[in-house]
Amino acid sequence: QVQLVESGGGLVQAGGSLRLSCAASGRTFSSLPMAWFRQAPGKEREFVAAFSWGASTYYADAVKGRSAFSRDNAKNTVYLQMNSLKPEDTAVYYCAASARILGPSTTYYSRSYDYWGQGTQVTVSS
């Protein structure tokens, strides 16, 4: 019903930047709470950023201050601008959407989201 396609990943040097994109199709984009997660090999999926409850933006402590979440409803696309990248940021990044309203208590959990993209690889070298 809802398809999500990420892009913009790649190989960058530490301290560099990337802008990840997630294009959505299907259900009306503006009605879907959206988020970014990431997963490194051998680790569980972790929350990165989201735009949800009360039109608030949330960021994980690991990326706070050097990343920015935005959305363009006209293009049905959300973005994650990542600056000052670190090797620890290396992971597959996924965008996700929820079919229901999410509050502060549920925004951070991957199980709260119903639709997922295929992921885009981000590799940060030293």
Side-chain angles (χ1 to χ4, degrees), residues 76-107:
N76 286 350
T77 302
V78 299
Y79 306 93
L80 181 67
Q81 177 69 42
M82 303 181 66
N83 303 316
S84 301
L85 286 164
K86 307 173 182 179
E88 294 78 18
D89 294 318
T90 297
V92 177
Y93 284 70
Y94 300 89
C95 65
S98 174
R100 56 194 174 275
I101 296 174
L102 300 178
S105 63
T106 55
T107 297

